Amino acid sequence: MKFLWYLTVVGIPMSLGKTFPTLDPRTGEVIAQVSEGNGEDVDRAVAAARKAFDEGPWPRMTAYERQKIMLRAADLIEKHNDEIAALETWDNGKPYEQSAKVEVPMLVRQIRYYAGWADKLQGHTIPADGALHVQTLHEPIGVVGQIIPWNFPLLMFAWKVGPALACGNTIVLKTAEQTPLSALYVANLFLEAGLPAGVLNIVSGFGPTVGAALASHMHVDKLAFTGSTETGKAVLQLAAKSNLKTVTLELGGKSPFIVCKDADVDQAVELAHLALFFNQGQCCCAGSRTFVHESIYDEFVAKAKARALSRVVGDPFKSGIEQGPQIDSKQFDKILGYIKSGVENGATLEAGGDRFGNKGYYVQPTVFSNVQDNMAIAKDEIFGPVQSILKYKDLDEVIHRANNTAYGLAAGVFTKDIDTANTLTRALKAGSVWVNCFDIFDAAIPFGGYKMSGQGREKGEYSLKNYYQVKAVVTPLKNPAWL
């Protein structure tokens, strides 16, 4: 199989005809050859997007017309749910049931959510001192560059493309080299829905070439990036050194999950398990530091170990599978390296600790107890199925330890006491705090980080502010009837 899409809504062939393989993480075998973009291809994509914005119909359409195209695209995605889910699982390794029943429906919901916003973006009239008529206009920024990661290709596509289109922008989007297939497929459904040529352009390739070219491009007006904090710093530097384009970043995390002394231990164990092991642990907001009160610590550890040992690992296309393979050999080796460091640093390995099977990139669900804050497994973003369980004595202590990190993407709190919940939700320095739940990603709920976990917010009304400019228009009034 060979995927040669490049500019999905323009149909321009690749400049060099070069391709790269995308792999099946279940086996390490090649799924397809994908067209590999370079700096010249980014130039061509940006030129197409610029023409579509400056001369094309998209920003000049009524908001209602843009809305209808986005809704048609959502309908087509919903119609092709099973094919898209299969591509996502094949390319990424996540369980098919998760792709088909959760992530593709969430993609559809997100596009419909932003389609609904398209005709509701409006400025204000503002009273001012003097005989003046003052109004604000919310205008599309222009050409938007977007770089999405490999762990949630479909959802990140929706989080970025949805608000950008609703506001009337045109887009050049780089897929992750590990998982290009589903975004390419979905982008062609937007074309089928009637999206004009040049509005949504997809360039597949690698960070040092396509990503760097997009971040540093002088004719890209705004950049949105989701990925590691290290890469986010590089992206921000390139944007600043070029044309000071506006940048939003959704970066890494090392989220605390705090289990209070009044918790129902069985429920807390299951929720903490979900918070860490969901999506093979490949989640930026994973609850990867499980803080448990000393009075229930031993019971929690024993039950967390049992739950990890019962987790069903295997071929993600099979029914009932909870955990598929990691994305690739690089991530697989990284995770095993962190597990080794945990053992060497004195943490107690309760479960897992090695590869699962002898083919593909599967890692056993792993649980460590007696983890200390200074250990690498407690400080670094592992991005894998490794749960670190830490003991604490009181709220002041756990607040200090939970916040003692460079990250601030998310946090979880498990308690029956409303006063405890209120204390923690206000004290924790994180963009999302989930109380007695975790990983709630409703289309309307904003998501983003404090500190080195990013800048700006994805999803919800807040995300729209990333994709429009505010212009103040002031006109003198002569003999006004009122002010």
Side-chain angles (χ1 to χ4, degrees):
M1 185 183 297
K2 196 170 188 179
F3 288 85
L4 288 175
W5 297 311
Y6 155 53
L7 298 176
T8 60
V9 297
V10 180
I12 301 173
M14 295 298 294
S15 59
L16 297 178
K18 191 176 180 181
T19 63
F20 66 94
T22 186
L23 306 180
D24 182 347
R26 299 174 302 164
T27 62
E29 297 173 354
V30 175
I31 299 171
Q33 295 291 331
V34 180
S35 295
E36 181 181 341
N38 58 23
E40 181 182 341
D41 295 312
V42 171
D43 287 341
R44 298 166 76 197
V46 172
R50 175 58 61 193
K51 182 176 181 181
F53 184 80
D54 291 345
E55 304 174 19
W58 189 247
R60 292 176 175 81
M61 281 184 181
T62 66
Y64 180 52
E65 288 298 320
R66 291 200 300 271
Q67 180 184 92
K68 288 194 294 184
I69 290 173
M70 293 178 70
L71 290 173
R72 284 198 295 269
D75 289 344
L76 286 170
I77 294 167
E78 190 170 55
K79 178 181 176 181
H80 293 277
N81 182 96
D82 293 351
E83 302 100 289
I84 298 168
L87 273 179
E88 190 79 333
T89 292
W90 195 12
D91 211 15
N92 175 277
K94 64 184 62 192
Y96 176 76
E97 291 178 350
Q98 176 183 322
S99 297
K101 296 179 181 180
V102 179
E103 294 192 16
V104 179
M106 288 178 70
L107 163 65
V108 173
R109 178 69 179 95
Q110 199 77 56
I111 297 301
R112 286 178 177 155
Y113 174 85
Y114 282 114
W117 270 109
D119 61 355
K120 299 171 185 66
L121 299 170
Q122 56 195 16
H124 305 280
T125 56
I126 302 172
D129 294 339
L132 299 168
H133 173 75
V134 182
Q135 63 178 336
T136 58
L137 302 177
H138 291 178
E139 299 183 346
I141 292 176
V143 176
V144 173
Q146 300 179 327
I147 302 173
I148 61 174
W150 50 259
N151 57 331
F152 292 101
L154 288 172
L155 294 184
M156 298 303 102
F157 177 95
W159 290 13
K160 300 232 178 338
V161 168
L165 292 181
C167 291
N169 298 284
T170 59
I171 300 166
V172 179
L173 183 144
K174 177 198 173 296
T175 58
E177 58 268 26
Q178 298 91 339
T179 56
L181 301 184
S182 57
L184 290 167
Y185 189 100
V186 169
N188 276 276
L189 294 180
F190 273 86
L191 174 62
E192 186 177 338
L195 195 70
V199 175
L200 175 59
N201 307 278
I202 310 293
V203 184
S204 296
F206 296 85
T209 49
V210 174
L214 195 56
S216 60
H217 206 287
M218 293 297 293
H219 300 296
V220 170
D221 302 307
K222 184 264 184 297
L223 189 72
F225 170 82
T226 296
S228 71
T229 295
E230 181 181 1
T231 304
K233 290 179 180 179
V235 163
L236 195 58
Q237 288 179 331
L238 290 172
K241 290 178 179 179
S242 54
N243 61 345
L244 276 177
K245 59 179 69 65
T246 302
V247 179
T248 50
L249 303 168
E250 197 265 280
L251 306 175
K254 192 67 178 176
S255 301
F257 183 98
I258 300 172
V259 182
C260 299
K261 61 183 178 181
D262 65 340
D264 180 306
V265 174
D266 291 333
Q267 292 179 0
V269 164
E270 186 60 32
L271 189 58
H273 183 87
L274 167 69
L276 186 282
F277 290 101
F278 174 64
N279 204 54
Q280 292 70 251
Q282 298 171 154
C283 189
C284 54
C285 59
S288 52
R289 290 183 295 151
T290 307
F291 288 97
V292 181
H293 191 269
E294 62 182 3
S295 65
I296 57 172
Y297 186 84
D298 292 341
E299 181 186 359
F300 185 97
V301 169
K303 291 181 175 180
K305 173 182 178 178
R307 180 63 181 93
L309 291 172
S310 71
R311 186 168 181 81
V312 184
V313 183
D315 186 337
F317 280 103
K318 292 183 179 179
S319 179
I321 293 297
E322 295 180 277
Q323 181 176 314
Q326 309 307 131
I327 186 65
D328 58 18
S329 60
K330 180 180 178 181
Q331 191 66 18
F332 175 83
D333 291 338
K334 173 188 172 184
I335 294 165
L336 292 181
Y338 272 110
I339 292 172
K340 181 180 179 182
S341 79
V343 173
E344 292 175 345
N345 289 334
T348 302
L349 181 63
E350 299 283 351
D354 206 343
R355 73 177 301 153
F356 178 91
N358 54 18
K359 188 177 185 180
Y361 309 127
Y362 296 88
V363 174
Q364 294 173 350
T366 298
V367 175
F368 280 105
S369 65
N370 298 315
V371 178
Q372 304 303 312
D373 293 349
N374 61 352
M375 295 179 180
I377 58 172
K379 294 191 301 181
D380 298 349
E381 186 177 34
I382 300 174
F383 229 60
V386 181
Q387 183 179 31
S388 296
I389 308 178
L390 305 94
K391 185 187 297 184
Y392 76 93
K393 293 183 179 180
D394 56 49
L395 286 186
D396 288 341
E397 175 198 335
V398 78
I399 289 168
H400 172 75
R401 292 170 64 192
N403 287 334
N404 188 24
T405 173
Y407 299 111
L409 190 55
V413 173
F414 201 90
T415 181
K416 298 175 184 177
D417 189 303
I418 187 64
D419 292 330
T420 298
N422 284 336
T423 295
L424 288 171
T425 54
R426 283 159 175 74
L428 294 171
K429 300 189 182 306
S432 296
V433 181
W434 289 296
V435 180
N436 297 332
C437 60
F438 209 86
D439 285 341
I440 305 300
F441 293 114
D442 187 271
I445 300 175
F447 182 79
Y450 286 24
K451 299 187 280 188
M452 289 175 64
S453 285
Q455 301 175 0
R457 292 296 180 267
E458 307 269 16
K459 302 193 293 108
E461 180 180 0
Y462 289 90
S463 180
L464 294 163
K465 298 178 181 180
N466 301 330
Y467 292 100
Y468 63 71
Q469 299 272 24
V470 178
K471 177 184 288 182
V473 180
V474 183
T475 307
L477 295 172
K478 292 186 178 180
N479 301 317
W482 53 269
L483 288 177

